[in-house]
Amino acid sequence: MVRSQGTNSNSVCENISLSLFSFTCLLENTMSSVGQQQEQLSQSDLSPSSNSSSSFEIIDMDAANLYEPVSPHWFYCKIIDSKETWIPFNTEDSQQLEEAYSSETDCNGRVVPTDGGRYDVHLGERTRYAVYWDELASEVRRCTWFYKGDKDNKYVPYSESFSQQLEETYMLAVTLDEWKKKLESPNREIIILHNPKLMVHYHPVAGSDEWGSIPTEQGRPRTVKRGVENISVDIPCGEPLQIDHLVFVVHGIGPACDLRFRSIVQCVNDFRGVSLSLLQTHFKKAQEQQQIGRVEFLPVNWHSPLHSTGVDVDLRRITLPSINRLRHFTNDTILDVFFYNSPTYCQTIVDTVASEMNRIYSLFLQRNPNFKGGVSIAGHSLGSLILFDLLTNQKDLLEDNDSEKVTQRVVLDQEDTLGLEEDLKKLQLSEFCSLFKKEKMDKTALALCTDRDLQEMGIPLGPRKKILNYFKNRENTQGIKQNQQSVLGENLPALSEKFKGCNSTDGAGNDDYLDISIGQASVKYPRLIYKPDIFFAFGSPIGMFLTVRGLKRIDPSYKLPTCKGFFNIYHPFDPVAYRIEPMVVPGVEFEPMLIPHHKGRKRMHLELREGLTRMSMDLKNNVLSSLRMAWKSFTRTPYPALQATEAAAADESEPEPEPIPEKPSDGQAGDSLVADKEETASINVGMLNGGQRIDYVLQEKPIESFNEYLFALQSHLCYWESEDTVLLVLKEIYQTQGIFLDQPTQ
């Protein structure tokens, strides 16, 4: 029995050893196949979806369920301060890009509009292009894995191919529960996956590749994160699809528009961002009822076309070498004012602004065929003066039928072309007609050409001199009066009466105002293909330029030919801003309208200052009244009691003359910027803004009130991020549609 029992135990041990040996062999085969599959995945760029299912058929399905695919998010690269910065698309745009990427159709030719339609993303090229303005194309990337940068805490996405390798390695580690996986990037950098919460990135060690050795884990590691939800990044909110109104924004002097030397595109982006946030807070009811969408703001750039005419080269030849940076700043910014006062360059600036607004408007309608809203224009600094001159020289002859507009434009172009051919025949230069047609040159364009332009077209010296001399003599013979009549046409007498100057010495001549135009006399102002609803001027020198041109007053009945509204918005410390209302009502002194704070109240320091001023005035009036009564009691002659009582009653019945308040000084100008409602309603400021007030002043911040001169430059550039300015613009735009602000929250 014992022997048989020992025999059975031996057989059981042999069976156990055989089963252990077979399980070990099976496990070794499984691990070797998995290792081979991992090497193949690390060396290829194929997506994990095609091979992973067949590779893990022998693995327990419960373990495989622990892995969840990563959610991608799309980013684009922007050059900020000479370094690359990756910025995420908003959630809606990223979803659209992902749907287009995951679709069955080929994405090489797919174009996805993003950022409210202002940018197009070409999926095949992975490139983002601006639609309405010139801008360098930026790289687009489908991002899943990120590492922390060297000099800041911002995360940088890996390339799409290497992110796939990281994702495949992470999937194997989670599925097999085996970590400390090591990968080598294309830049010979090492990434180690210690566990799901600890993944690091090491820089390559200098000199490690000279002997063909593998980079080691040295240096300070950088953090690696999987998925956009695990990194600290602000994903912007999307924009409403519905566009209620379109606003063109024209910049002032120089290429930079604020103290951070940003372009007009970047500043308008801030302006648009502030408007979107204010719509959510101050038009919440209208948004909830889906009555409104958003207002689109598009920049108009005229500085770059002006300085691409070769004027910078000419200025560089005559610029002194001393204080080079200051002189370069002067040539690039301040001289824009003198360029606008020059007839030649003023024509270039005006043509650029008008053509850009017409081009952008046509392109906008093509991309938004369902748009039925209005159009407004806004200008900052010198840009507001350019728009004012354009609007005052418009004619209200726009037809509602688009086909008639196109027909008129074609007829005008044909007449201009025929006139050019006749002029060339007179000069015996008909052989150059084909060349001018090829270059799309009409009479107006040819008149703007310089000798250098004609030389670049291949025209010999003799014909060049004939052409230049012909147009020069033609302009001189017409004279200033004829130019004004050709520009203003039948509106010249009306404009001359509405904008009155004082050039005549005797005051009796009939042509006192004929030599004073609203804009430049020798400039032909182009037409806009739309009628603006409102014109907003930020920090505008319009009043100063009109005064310098000899215009002393504006007739109260005058209004812009094609624009109904006009708002002159400025900061009280802005050194470039001037008022308009004193030119309409020169004999009355009154304060501008104070723009309310966007939180629905006056700033606290202004309320405190106003309260102290009122208290001091009341105290002063009480003291003066007491002294006056005491003086009367001393100088009064004695009367009988009855007569004294009657005299006292008579004195009490006489109304005391009210003390005349002193005129506030410059330092107190902000205390009484707004008159009472009754006083404001009694002021007639004319029809330039449809009967409404024209001048609107912002409230200065508490820190700005300490020193006006210190914040003067900042005050001229503060409008782009001013909530009060944006709220006034939105309020006036939506009031034309019958939509009003919500009740302000205290």
Side-chain angles (χ1 to χ4, degrees):
M1 296 293 296
V2 174
R3 181 177 299 175
S4 62
Q5 185 177 1
T7 304
N8 293 332
S9 62
N10 291 333
S11 62
V12 170
C13 291
E14 290 176 358
N15 292 332
I16 293 174
S17 62
L18 288 174
S19 61
L20 288 174
F21 177 77
S22 61
F23 178 78
T24 302
C25 294
L26 178 61
L27 183 61
E28 289 179 354
N29 294 332
T30 303
M31 294 301 296
S32 62
S33 62
V34 170
Q36 293 177 0
Q37 184 67 24
Q38 179 180 355
E39 292 180 357
Q40 293 178 0
L41 288 173
S42 62
Q43 295 177 358
S44 64
D45 294 336
L46 297 176
S47 61
S49 60
S50 60
N51 297 327
S52 58
S53 59
S54 61
S55 303
F56 301 107
E57 290 178 354
I58 60 175
I59 298 176
D60 187 10
M61 295 304 296
D62 294 334
N65 289 334
L66 297 176
Y67 168 76
E68 293 182 1
V70 64
S71 298
H73 195 92
W74 290 76
F75 283 64
Y76 64 92
C77 184
K78 198 82 170 173
I79 304 298
I80 302 176
D81 297 333
S82 302
K83 64 178 182 180
E84 293 184 353
T85 302
W86 287 91
I87 303 175
F89 287 96
N90 61 59
T91 305
E92 290 80 1
D93 290 344
S94 181
Q95 290 177 355
Q96 289 184 3
L97 291 169
E98 184 64 22
E99 291 175 0
Y101 172 81
S102 303
S103 62
E104 297 179 356
T105 59
D106 187 11
C107 65
N108 288 330
R110 294 292 298 272
V111 177
V112 180
T114 60
D115 299 277
R118 296 180 297 274
Y119 289 89
D120 283 341
V121 173
H122 295 247
L123 280 181
E125 303 176 8
R126 292 292 197 276
T127 311
R128 174 175 175 264
Y129 295 95
V131 175
Y132 299 107
W133 57 82
D134 293 332
E135 184 179 316
L136 293 176
S138 53
E139 181 185 355
V140 174
R141 188 174 293 179
R142 182 176 181 265
C143 305
T144 52
W145 285 77
F146 306 84
Y147 66 92
K148 187 172 289 187
D150 296 330
K151 299 181 180 179
D152 51 20
N153 293 326
K154 294 182 179 180
Y155 282 88
V156 181
Y158 287 104
S159 64
E160 294 187 28
S161 59
F162 189 68
S163 295
Q164 288 183 358
Q165 296 183 26
L166 284 171
E167 183 65 21
E168 292 164 357
T169 305
Y170 177 85
M171 180 178 59
L172 290 172
V174 170
T175 306
L176 298 177
D177 197 18
E178 292 184 359
W179 292 94
K180 292 188 177 181
K181 300 291 184 181
K182 185 183 296 185
L183 282 85
E184 183 177 341
S185 70
N187 297 329
R188 304 286 290 172
E189 299 177 354
I190 295 178
I191 294 89
I192 300 178
L193 310 182
H194 292 285
N195 55 59
K197 297 183 179 180
L198 179 59
M199 295 173 282
V200 292
H201 180 140
Y202 290 95
H203 280 292
V205 179
S208 62
D209 294 336
E210 296 179 359
W211 301 96
S213 59
I214 300 175
T216 57
E217 305 166 17
Q218 296 183 12
R220 184 178 179 180
R222 293 182 288 182
T223 306
V224 177
K225 293 293 183 181
R226 175 179 179 264
V228 70
E229 63 275 3
N230 295 320
I231 64 175
S232 56
V233 61
D234 295 330
I235 299 177
C237 299
E239 302 178 13
L241 297 178
Q242 177 185 344
I243 300 177
D244 304 319
H245 205 85
L246 176 63
V247 180
F248 294 113
V249 184
V250 180
H251 65 87
I253 62 173
C257 296
D258 64 353
L259 293 177
R260 288 177 283 177
F261 298 98
R262 297 185 304 168
S263 65
I264 180 63
V265 175
Q266 295 171 311
C267 291
V268 172
N269 287 341
D270 281 351
F271 202 88
R272 187 187 304 109
V274 174
S275 71
L276 291 174
S277 62
L278 289 176
L279 286 175
Q280 296 176 357
T281 56
H282 291 71
F283 293 88
K284 188 175 182 180
K285 292 182 179 179
Q287 279 197 337
E288 291 176 351
Q289 298 174 2
Q290 296 182 353
Q291 294 179 348
I292 62 173
R294 63 183 173 93
V295 178
E296 180 63 282
F297 298 89
L298 296 179
V300 178
N301 182 16
W302 57 266
H303 182 270
S304 299
L306 171 66
H307 288 262
S308 63
T309 58
V311 64
D312 289 344
V313 178
D314 298 334
L315 287 174
R316 199 176 300 119
R317 289 199 300 265
I318 61 176
T319 302
L320 300 180
S322 58
I323 53 173
N324 186 29
R325 292 185 179 180
L326 180 58
R327 295 186 190 278
H328 175 72
F329 174 79
T330 302
N331 292 346
D332 208 29
T333 55
I334 300 178
L335 284 185
D336 286 348
V337 179
F338 298 97
F339 286 145
Y340 188 68
N341 288 328
S342 168
T344 302
Y345 293 106
C346 178
Q347 186 70 61
T348 302
I349 294 173
V350 169
D351 289 342
T352 301
V353 172
S355 62
E356 274 295 291
M357 289 196 297
N358 290 339
R359 179 190 66 84
I360 296 174
Y361 180 70
S362 301
L363 182 59
F364 179 83
L365 293 182
Q366 292 178 6
R367 297 175 63 88
N368 301 273
N370 297 326
F371 175 73
K372 298 180 181 179
V375 183
S376 295
I377 56 178
H380 176 242
S381 187
L382 183 62
S384 63
L385 177 65
I386 298 170
L387 293 177
F388 184 80
D389 288 343
L390 269 173
L391 291 178
T392 54
N393 287 275
Q394 295 295 302
K395 294 183 179 180
D396 193 7
L397 299 176
L398 298 179
E399 300 292 337
D400 295 333
N401 193 350
D402 293 336
S403 61
E404 293 182 4
K405 294 180 183 179
V406 175
T407 305
Q408 282 185 345
R409 196 176 302 115
V410 171
V411 171
L412 290 174
D413 293 340
Q414 290 177 353
E415 291 178 355
D416 209 356
T417 305
L418 293 175
L420 178 59
E421 293 179 358
E422 294 177 357
D423 291 341
L424 292 176
K425 287 181 180 179
K426 292 179 182 179
L427 298 175
Q428 298 180 353
L429 299 176
S430 301
E431 64 271 16
F432 296 105
C433 288
S434 58
L435 177 61
F436 290 138
K437 288 182 180 179
K438 181 180 179 181
E439 297 291 337
K440 297 182 180 179
M441 299 283 292
D442 54 13
K443 188 185 297 185
T444 304
L446 186 57
L448 296 175
C449 288
T450 62
D451 184 73
R452 180 181 298 175
D453 297 332
L454 298 176
Q455 185 177 2
E456 292 177 354
M457 293 173 61
I459 300 177
L461 178 60
R464 292 203 309 268
K465 294 299 182 182
K466 286 184 178 181
I467 294 173
L468 295 175
N469 185 57
Y470 172 76
F471 281 102
K472 182 179 179 181
N473 293 335
R474 180 172 173 268
E475 181 179 358
N476 291 336
T477 54
Q478 287 181 346
I480 297 178
K481 288 185 180 180
Q482 188 173 355
N483 281 329
Q484 286 181 341
Q485 292 173 0
S486 64
V487 172
L488 301 178
E490 298 177 356
N491 292 335
L492 178 60
L495 290 176
S496 300
E497 288 297 326
K498 306 302 181 183
F499 288 80
K500 295 187 177 180
C502 292
N503 261 12
S504 61
T505 57
D506 56 355
N510 295 327
D511 295 335
D512 293 342
Y513 316 124
L514 290 181
D515 58 345
I516 300 175
S517 177
I518 306 308
Q520 299 289 343
S522 57
V523 173
K524 184 177 181 180
Y525 289 91
R527 293 184 184 179
L528 301 176
I529 60 177
Y530 54 86
K531 294 181 180 180
D533 291 342
I534 307 175
F535 168 39
F536 299 98
F538 305 141
S540 172
I542 294 175
M544 183 267 292
F545 271 85
L546 293 180
T547 304
V548 169
R549 291 172 183 174
L551 306 173
K552 285 195 172 182
R553 68 179 298 265
I554 302 173
D555 192 277
S557 62
Y558 176 76
K559 57 183 179 180
L560 298 174
T562 59
C563 186
K564 300 178 182 178
F566 174 35
F567 290 85
N568 183 35
I569 304 170
Y570 61 91
H571 191 280
F573 303 155
D574 190 342
V576 183
Y578 290 83
R579 293 191 62 184
I580 299 294
E581 289 174 342
M583 299 188 69
V584 182
V585 191
V588 182
E589 292 186 4
F590 55 96
E591 300 295 337
M593 291 291 291
L594 184 68
I595 299 177
H597 193 264
H598 65 281
K599 292 185 178 180
R601 57 172 175 79
K602 188 180 291 185
R603 292 186 183 271
M604 188 173 296
H605 72 286
L606 294 180
E607 292 180 352
L608 179 62
R609 187 193 302 172
E610 187 175 333
L612 293 175
T613 303
R614 189 182 300 111
M615 289 175 59
S616 64
M617 291 298 297
D618 292 342
L619 181 61
K620 182 179 179 181
N621 292 335
N622 291 333
V623 171
L624 290 176
S625 178
S626 300
L627 291 176
R628 188 180 298 108
M629 293 297 295
W631 176 255
K632 285 183 178 181
S633 64
F634 282 121
T635 59
R636 183 178 301 159
T637 57
Y639 287 97
L642 182 59
Q643 295 178 357
T645 305
E646 293 176 354
D651 289 340
E652 291 179 359
S653 62
E654 287 184 1
E656 288 288 336
E658 295 183 358
I660 301 174
E662 297 180 358
K663 185 178 180 180
S665 60
D666 294 339
Q668 298 174 345
D671 305 335
S672 58
L673 290 174
V674 180
D676 295 333
K677 291 184 178 179
E678 298 178 357
E679 189 176 334
T680 303
S682 63
I683 299 175
N684 181 15
V685 293
M687 298 302 296
L688 193 57
N689 191 23
Q692 301 182 61
R693 295 291 300 272
I694 302 172
D695 294 335
Y696 289 79
V697 62
L698 293 167
Q699 303 179 36
E700 72 271 16
K701 297 179 181 178
I703 192 174
E704 295 174 345
S705 60
F706 288 107
N707 193 321
E708 300 177 2
Y709 297 95
L710 184 62
F711 294 94
L713 181 59
Q714 179 179 343
S715 301
H716 183 59
L717 306 172
C718 71
Y719 306 100
W720 308 115
E721 299 177 355
S722 171
E723 294 92 345
D724 300 345
T725 303
V726 179
L727 186 59
L728 176 63
V729 172
L730 294 177
K731 179 176 73 72
E732 295 300 330
I733 287 176
Y734 279 111
Q735 274 186 0
T736 60
Q737 304 178 13
I739 298 173
F740 301 93
L741 286 168
D742 298 339
Q743 291 296 329
T745 57
Q746 298 294 335

